[in-house]
Amino acid sequence: MAVTPQWDRNLPPRLREIAGSQEPLICILAGPGTGKTTALIRNVARLLEEEQEAQRILVVTFTRTAATDLLRQLQDLEHVSAPTVDARTLHSLCFRMLRMQRVLEITGRVTRPLIQYETDTLLDDLTDGRFGGRRDKLKRLEALGAAWARLAQEAGGSPTDPVDSAFAEDLDRWLRFHRAMLITELVPIALSFLRNNPAANLRKFYRHVYVDEYQDLNNAEQALTEILAEDATLFVVGDDDQSIYEFKYAHPEGLVNFAEHHDGTYSDTLEDCGRCPRIVIEMANSLIKQNTRPLPDRMMRPTDTCPQGEAHIVQWKNLTEETEGLADFIRWYLNENDLSAGRVLVLSPRRVIGYKIRDCLREVGVAAQSHFSEEALDAKAAQDKFTLLTILADRNDRVALRNWLARPTARPAAYRWIRSQSATSGSSPWEIMEQVSAGQLEPPANVEQLSARFGALREELQKLESLQGEELIKAWLPEHDDDAGEDDPLDELRKIALALLPEEGEMPNPAALRDQLREAIAQPEAPLESDSARIMSLHKSKGLGADLVIISGCEEGLIPFVEDGQSDVEANEALEEQRRLFYVALTRTKRCVVLSNSRYFNVRTARNMNLRYRALRNYVVESIASRFLSELGPTAPTPQLGQQWLRNQKGFS
């Protein structure tokens, strides 16, 4: 009797056909929960069982969460060669490639990454009026990450627009002077290297290239994967209905039109969803049909094992009532269904809402952890402390010194004098500031404030020198005065720092603590599994799932969020992407979903969140529920008042 191969076991017929395919080009369009990643992993398993060289198999994806999931599934194959499959994010692959080929070293670049608040200071220093305001500059940074390919038909390369060229030149000068780089530069630099060096061994190294979530890649990233696969098979999977990275010029057309541009492609679609409840599948299908889609008839279908599930739409009087009510419901639902807190996913378009729900959950005894990007550095006080630690670890960290001198305002004109003196003399910015402090250099009047700020820095550093481990953390992040009646802006940073301390052995010095913190703060991908309720943005939920999913913030102006001043075409494109984002969030649930919004807000909170509202009186404004709630179809539940809904759920009339 023939033995069923490992890769073929327990697979539905459609997935078995895909996993067993040996075509050189494979493109799979697949909806949420339909098994596309399973098909990809089992195709890799077939190669391993055929004794293909594992290290010459490349599996890439866009996010670290997805990469972690791929690694976990590869390990689950229990094949001796599975751990040596090259599975990673595309940016991680580019960084390793550039390091191995010494590209950055040869071209004089330094791999000191900028985190978000440091990027803000960089933008302050790019003062050419042609670049526009902060929002315009951010868009140019994203275009740089796409190798300036903003449009579907553009291949990517050097900027062709003269303003883009000037921006790129100023940016390059700033980064080189400060001995730093942006993560978004990695792909364009790697793409340029591979295009211009056809003899590079990496162009022929891989025999099989797999790309998950292909719709999330921009033109430059897709071009990079094709060069890596020029002597290999190429297997791409994704879902254009889950394309949510238009702001970085993601190119879902590359997925939808893959077969058209690649002769001989084996194409298939997967629609049978085994993750979501039936009611959610019907609601999600109704929602996504509102978009303009290249394949309008492609819809999810429930498998025989899908439960009917639960869906609730709830409106509360105000944000306090909402956050407290949702926390109460989550606690009740977990107890009623004997579930752990880790089976809950709370999604919000604004971190202020997420934080309030997190705090309310903790107050009712439910473990909760938020996963918003760089949340530990939200407060300027925390940013200053992290900058201080960075300089303590390295006096010649030019980015950190620039950020310290940028408080309370950036003062780019004054800082240009320091850069000019440094470039002329060959002295570092730190040395220039020391010379100013010692009276060896006579600065212009506008540099005096920077000099005072530098003096304060030296005083702070003297207090921390020679300290390490817990002693360093306590001196660096002193405890907050509980009697002040205010939140501690350093609390989250302190918790992360203390959690990094080893139980025994050598305590980390400032450099080690800085490196560990930078990784923990700047790359806080949400875990696939957790002992706590996970609270995050809708974007970050991609690739995750939970029994209970709460989507809070379902108000106009938040979901969907559309920028002012857009053309009709731009506004419609933004609306359709926001609808796709809501579709992604909706399809994270395995059992129950709650869509929640509030009716009244404090005017200051509403303005800070860019909420759409009607002004009332006494600093109170009135919002309306998201238009997306009316697009969920006839099976969607009727919206209910929060407190009455909560009583009904708990069995009280």
Side-chain angles (χ1 to χ4, degrees), residues 179-249:
R179 299 176 181 175
M181 73 180 305
L182 299 165
I183 297 299
T184 51
E185 292 184 277
L186 288 171
V187 169
I189 293 173
L191 177 61
S192 176
F193 165 72
L194 289 177
R195 278 178 172 170
N196 295 330
N197 294 274
N201 56 7
L202 276 175
R203 287 185 59 149
K204 302 291 183 182
F205 178 75
Y206 294 109
R207 291 287 174 262
H208 305 277
V209 175
Y210 295 82
V211 188
D212 196 14
E213 304 292 2
Y214 194 72
Q215 80 284 345
D216 289 340
L217 274 57
N218 59 39
N219 257 331
E221 292 161 342
Q222 291 177 5
L224 178 68
T225 62
E226 296 217 3
I227 292 178
L228 292 172
E230 66 181 0
D231 201 34
T233 64
L234 179 58
F235 186 128
V236 304
V237 296
D239 180 12
D240 57 302
D241 286 334
Q242 297 186 75
S243 176
I244 57 174
Y245 294 104
E246 185 177 1
F247 62 86
K248 76 173 204 68
Y249 302 101

Side-chain angles (χ1 to χ4, degrees), residues 330-365:
I330 292 169
R331 179 189 56 78
W332 171 84
Y333 187 90
L334 293 177
N335 291 336
E336 188 75 7
N337 294 279
D338 194 25
L339 296 174
S340 67
R343 309 290 284 275
V344 177
L345 201 57
V346 178
L347 310 179
S348 172
R350 294 291 184 272
R351 63 178 65 191
V352 63
I353 300 175
Y355 291 166
K356 287 179 179 293
I357 296 175
R358 176 199 62 191
D359 295 343
C360 288
L361 283 172
R362 290 173 177 174
E363 287 175 6
V364 299

Side-chain angles (χ1 to χ4, degrees), residues 128 130-131 159 161-173:
D128 189 324
R130 294 176 297 169
F131 303 156
D161 178 81
V163 178
D164 283 345
S165 296
F167 180 85
E169 291 170 4
D170 280 8
L171 175 67
D172 184 71
R173 282 192 290 268

Side-chain angles (χ1 to χ4, degrees), residues 480-494:
H480 185 60
D481 181 6
D482 292 334
D483 296 331
E486 299 175 354
D487 293 336
D488 184 356
L490 306 179
D491 184 59
E492 196 69 25
L493 182 60
R494 186 186 301 108

Side-chain angles (χ1 to χ4, degrees), residues 2-3 66 84 121 124 143 218-219 223 241 273 390 402 450 483 487 510 524 544 619 627:
V3 177
T84 59
T121 304
D124 286 334
N218 59 39
N219 257 331
D241 286 334
C273 175
T390 304
R402 172 62 187 120
L450 301 186
D483 296 331
D487 293 336
L544 301 179
Y619 304 104
R627 73 187 78 176

